[in-house]
Amino acid sequence: MIPMNRFKRTFTALAAGTTLVLQSFAMAPAASAQETSQSLHLDGLSKEPTEAANAALFDPSDAVFLLLDHQTGLFQTVNDIAVDDLRRNTVTLTKVAQQADIPVIYTASEPDGPNGPLMPELEELLEGDEDAQYVARQGEVSSWDNADFVAAVEATGRKTLVIAGVWTSVCVAFPALQAKADGYDVFVVMDASGDVSEMASMAAMQRMAIEGIEPLTTNTILSEAMRTWNRPDAMEWAELFNAVSPGYQAAAESYGRAQEAATKSE
């Protein structure tokens, strides 16, 4: 059976993130007074969470993003999500890592073969990023079977892994299960991953959830990494919400135009 409490936590977090988004511009004036700090993402909260409450959410200060096999050849086999959405969410996820100073480790499976090269948007974003590291594999299907990849993860000293990739049932599930067994906390970003069918994806998510791996979406990770609009870089985070949800961008544009009209009428 699928442990439904894990899915409920996922969707509760997503709903909370949506509520925060709608409050963004209303809270923006307070953000300008906050001391600039990317890492101290809890400074803008009016109540300091208890240790237990804070541990219930994703902690960016302990996280590493693992982006696995987002390759153009494999994209042609993806049938459980629109490839345009998959690519957009992968780019947004990468930008979340950069905005929150989270290390990124990425890899490709046989990039010179039919699996194809990494999506160019990803390479362009991560080129020159000191917090990003590409690890070449030697034919291993699971990145967790590659010594250099695991060494790169261990070198960060972090124990929370946020994983996305193609295919969900193989390139994501295998290292996720292995890392969980090795003592890591593991999250899988569902909408930045893709598989050959919805059945394959759902079977993989059920298998991982049974082992305590938590399924999330890009919007959830974005919201939990940000935690509050009461921060000096609030508008930079707003741009990420625009990317993950074109509907939110439309809402922001509508709000901005209404504010302009109200100002002119004064």
Side-chain angles (χ1 to χ4, degrees), residues 31-244:
S32 60
Q34 184 183 344
E35 180 180 356
T36 300
S37 174
Q38 291 283 356
S39 59
L40 301 179
H41 65 290
L42 301 181
D43 285 354
L45 302 180
S46 61
K47 174 187 177 296
E48 183 175 354
T50 63
E51 183 176 348
N54 198 45
L57 298 179
F58 158 70
D59 180 6
S61 68
D62 186 51
V64 185
F65 281 16
L66 307 183
L67 304 181
L68 312 178
D69 304 352
H70 288 93
Q71 297 167 247
T72 57
L74 291 177
F75 283 167
Q76 297 175 57
T77 69
V78 169
N79 291 297
D80 64 326
I81 184 174
V83 173
D84 285 349
D85 292 339
L86 170 59
R87 296 179 82 133
R88 184 183 69 249
N89 291 332
T90 301
V91 167
T92 302
L93 192 64
T94 304
K95 290 181 178 179
V96 169
Q98 293 175 325
Q99 183 70 15
D101 295 328
I102 297 172
V104 176
I105 301 172
Y106 61 115
T107 184
S109 171
E110 299 297 334
D112 295 329
N115 288 358
L118 281 169
M119 53 185 279
E121 308 97 302
L122 188 59
E123 290 190 303
E124 182 179 344
L125 265 176
L126 295 176
E127 185 178 4
D129 186 337
E130 295 181 355
D131 291 326
Q133 180 178 352
Y134 176 79
V135 176
R137 307 209 300 276
Q138 300 176 34
E140 299 91 348
V141 172
S142 171
S143 56
W144 209 253
D145 289 334
N146 179 275
D148 293 335
F149 188 89
V150 175
V153 174
E154 291 174 343
T156 68
R158 300 187 175 204
K159 298 294 288 185
T160 300
L161 307 183
V162 177
I163 304 178
V166 182
W167 301 318
T168 308
S169 58
V170 179
C171 304
V172 172
F174 290 5
L177 291 164
Q178 291 173 292
K180 182 68 178 179
D182 282 342
Y184 288 84
D185 292 326
V186 182
F187 297 86
V188 168
V189 187
M190 298 162 59
D191 60 355
S193 302
D195 216 322
V196 296
S197 69
E198 290 186 10
M199 180 183 293
S201 179
M202 291 307 298
M205 293 310 308
Q206 179 174 346
R207 180 186 184 188
M208 289 186 281
I210 288 171
E211 298 302 323
I213 296 165
E214 300 198 42
L216 300 176
T217 64
T218 304
N219 189 46
T220 308
I221 286 291
L222 169 54
S223 300
E224 291 190 30
M226 184 185 72
R227 290 292 286 274
T228 176
W229 288 102
N230 183 25
R231 54 189 301 156
D233 57 349
M235 291 304 99
E236 295 173 30
W237 287 94
E239 288 299 318
L240 298 180
F241 281 108
N242 288 345
V244 79

